[in-house]
CSV table of all heavy atoms in Angstrom, one decimal:
chain,number,residue,atom,x,y,z
A,63,ARG,N,106.7,106.1,93.5
A,63,ARG,CA,107.6,105.2,94.1
A,63,ARG,C,106.9,103.9,94.5
A,63,ARG,O,105.8,103.9,95.1
A,63,ARG,CB,108.2,105.8,95.3
A,63,ARG,CG,109.3,105.1,96.0
A,63,ARG,CD,109.9,105.9,97.2
A,63,ARG,NE,110.8,105.1,97.9
A,63,ARG,CZ,112.1,105.3,97.9
A,63,ARG,NH1,112.7,106.2,97.1
A,63,ARG,NH2,112.9,104.5,98.6
A,64,TYR,N,107.5,102.7,94.1
A,64,TYR,CA,107.0,101.4,94.5
A,64,TYR,C,108.1,100.6,95.1
A,64,TYR,O,109.2,100.4,94.5
A,64,TYR,CB,106.4,100.7,93.3
A,64,TYR,CG,105.6,99.5,93.6
A,64,TYR,CD1,104.2,99.6,93.9
A,64,TYR,CD2,106.1,98.2,93.6
A,64,TYR,CE1,103.4,98.5,94.2
A,64,TYR,CE2,105.4,97.1,93.9
A,64,TYR,CZ,104.0,97.3,94.2
A,64,TYR,OH,103.3,96.2,94.5
A,65,GLU,N,107.9,100.1,96.3
A,65,GLU,CA,108.9,99.4,97.1
A,65,GLU,C,108.6,98.0,97.4
A,65,GLU,O,107.5,97.7,97.8
A,65,GLU,CB,109.1,100.1,98.4
A,65,GLU,CG,109.4,101.6,98.3
A,65,GLU,CD,109.6,102.3,99.6
A,65,GLU,OE1,109.0,101.8,100.6
A,65,GLU,OE2,110.2,103.4,99.7
A,127,ILE,N,111.4,102.3,102.4
A,127,ILE,CA,111.0,103.0,103.6
A,127,ILE,C,109.8,102.2,104.2
A,127,ILE,O,109.8,101.9,105.4
A,127,ILE,CB,110.6,104.4,103.3
A,127,ILE,CG1,111.8,105.2,102.7
A,127,ILE,CG2,110.1,105.2,104.5
A,127,ILE,CD1,111.5,106.4,101.9
A,128,LYS,N,108.8,102.0,103.5
A,128,LYS,CA,107.6,101.2,103.9
A,128,LYS,C,107.2,100.5,102.6
A,128,LYS,O,106.7,101.1,101.6
A,128,LYS,CB,106.5,102.1,104.4
A,128,LYS,CG,106.5,102.4,105.8
A,128,LYS,CD,105.2,103.0,106.3
A,128,LYS,CE,104.9,102.9,107.7
A,128,LYS,NZ,105.0,101.7,108.4
A,129,PRO,N,107.3,99.2,102.6
A,129,PRO,CA,107.0,98.4,101.4
A,129,PRO,C,105.6,98.5,100.9
A,129,PRO,O,104.7,98.5,101.7
A,129,PRO,CB,107.5,97.0,101.7
A,129,PRO,CG,107.6,96.9,103.2
A,129,PRO,CD,107.7,98.3,103.7
A,130,ASP,N,105.4,98.5,99.6
A,130,ASP,CA,104.1,98.3,98.9
A,130,ASP,C,103.9,96.8,98.9
A,130,ASP,O,102.7,96.3,98.9
A,130,ASP,CB,104.2,98.8,97.5
A,130,ASP,CG,104.3,100.3,97.5
A,130,ASP,OD1,103.3,101.0,97.6
A,130,ASP,OD2,105.5,100.8,97.4
A,131,LEU,N,104.9,96.0,98.7
A,131,LEU,CA,104.9,94.6,98.6
A,131,LEU,C,106.0,93.9,99.5
A,131,LEU,O,107.1,94.3,99.4
A,131,LEU,CB,105.1,94.2,97.2
A,131,LEU,CG,105.1,92.7,96.8
A,131,LEU,CD1,103.7,92.0,97.2
A,131,LEU,CD2,105.3,92.5,95.3
A,145,ARG,N,104.7,94.3,110.1
A,145,ARG,CA,103.9,95.5,110.5
A,145,ARG,C,104.4,96.7,109.7
A,145,ARG,O,103.8,97.7,109.8
A,145,ARG,CB,104.0,95.7,112.0
A,145,ARG,CG,103.1,94.7,112.7
A,145,ARG,CD,103.4,94.8,114.2
A,145,ARG,NE,102.6,93.9,115.0
A,145,ARG,CZ,102.7,92.6,115.0
A,145,ARG,NH1,103.6,92.0,114.2
A,145,ARG,NH2,101.9,91.8,115.7
A,146,ASP,N,105.5,96.5,109.1
A,146,ASP,CA,106.2,97.6,108.4
A,146,ASP,C,105.7,97.6,106.9
A,146,ASP,O,106.4,97.2,106.0
A,146,ASP,CB,107.7,97.5,108.5
A,146,ASP,CG,108.4,98.6,107.9
A,146,ASP,OD1,107.9,99.7,107.9
A,146,ASP,OD2,109.6,98.5,107.5
A,147,LEU,N,104.5,98.1,106.7
A,147,LEU,CA,103.9,98.0,105.4
A,147,LEU,C,103.0,99.2,105.2
A,147,LEU,O,102.4,99.7,106.1
A,147,LEU,CB,103.0,96.7,105.4
A,147,LEU,CG,102.4,96.2,104.1
A,147,LEU,CD1,103.5,95.7,103.1
A,147,LEU,CD2,101.4,95.1,104.3
A,148,LYS,N,102.9,99.7,103.9
A,148,LYS,CA,102.0,100.7,103.6
A,148,LYS,C,100.5,100.2,103.8
A,148,LYS,O,100.3,99.0,103.8
A,148,LYS,CB,102.2,101.2,102.2
A,148,LYS,CG,103.5,102.0,102.0
A,148,LYS,CD,103.6,102.5,100.6
A,148,LYS,CE,105.0,103.2,100.5
A,148,LYS,NZ,105.5,103.2,99.2
A,149,ASN,N,99.6,101.1,104.1
A,149,ASN,CA,98.2,100.8,104.4
A,149,ASN,C,97.6,99.9,103.3
A,149,ASN,O,96.9,99.0,103.6
A,149,ASN,CB,97.3,102.0,104.5
A,149,ASN,CG,97.7,102.8,105.8
A,149,ASN,OD1,98.3,102.2,106.7
A,149,ASN,ND2,97.4,104.0,105.8
A,150,TYR,N,97.9,100.1,102.1
A,150,TYR,CA,97.3,99.3,101.0
A,150,TYR,C,98.3,98.2,100.5
A,150,TYR,O,98.0,97.5,99.6
A,150,TYR,CB,97.0,100.2,99.8
A,150,TYR,CG,98.3,101.0,99.3
A,150,TYR,CD1,99.2,100.4,98.5
A,150,TYR,CD2,98.4,102.3,99.7
A,150,TYR,CE1,100.4,101.1,98.2
A,150,TYR,CE2,99.6,103.0,99.4
A,150,TYR,CZ,100.5,102.4,98.6
A,150,TYR,OH,101.7,103.0,98.2
A,151,GLY,N,99.4,98.1,101.2
A,151,GLY,CA,100.5,97.1,100.9
A,151,GLY,C,100.0,95.7,100.9
A,151,GLY,O,99.0,95.3,101.6
A,152,VAL,N,100.8,94.8,100.3
A,152,VAL,CA,100.4,93.4,100.2
A,152,VAL,C,101.6,92.6,100.8
A,152,VAL,O,102.8,92.9,100.6
A,152,VAL,CB,100.2,93.0,98.7
A,152,VAL,CG1,100.1,91.4,98.6
A,152,VAL,CG2,99.0,93.6,98.2
A,168,LEU,N,95.3,94.5,108.3
A,168,LEU,CA,96.2,94.0,107.3
A,168,LEU,C,95.9,92.6,106.8
A,168,LEU,O,96.4,92.1,105.8
A,168,LEU,CB,97.7,94.0,107.8
A,168,LEU,CG,98.3,95.4,108.0
A,168,LEU,CD1,99.7,95.3,108.6
A,168,LEU,CD2,98.3,96.2,106.7
A,171,ASN,N,95.1,91.8,103.3
A,171,ASN,CA,96.2,92.1,102.4
A,171,ASN,C,97.3,91.0,102.4
A,171,ASN,O,98.4,91.2,101.8
A,171,ASN,CB,96.9,93.4,102.7
A,171,ASN,CG,95.9,94.6,102.5
A,171,ASN,OD1,94.7,94.4,102.5
A,171,ASN,ND2,96.5,95.8,102.3
A,249,ARG,N,98.0,98.8,91.4
A,249,ARG,CA,98.8,99.9,92.1
A,249,ARG,C,100.0,100.3,91.3
A,249,ARG,O,100.3,101.5,91.1
A,249,ARG,CB,99.2,99.4,93.5
A,249,ARG,CG,100.1,100.3,94.2
A,249,ARG,CD,99.4,101.7,94.5
A,249,ARG,NE,100.2,102.5,95.4
A,249,ARG,CZ,101.2,103.3,95.0
A,249,ARG,NH1,101.6,103.4,93.7
A,249,ARG,NH2,101.9,104.0,95.8
Side-chain angles (χ1 to χ4, degrees):
R63 185 178 173 103
Y64 192 87
E65 303 177 338
I127 300 165
K128 274 193 155 312
D130 296 273
L131 179 60
R145 288 168 177 70
D146 187 26
L147 189 71
K148 289 181 181 157
N149 292 338
Y150 55 81
V152 172
L168 292 177
N171 295 22
R249 174 64 172 86

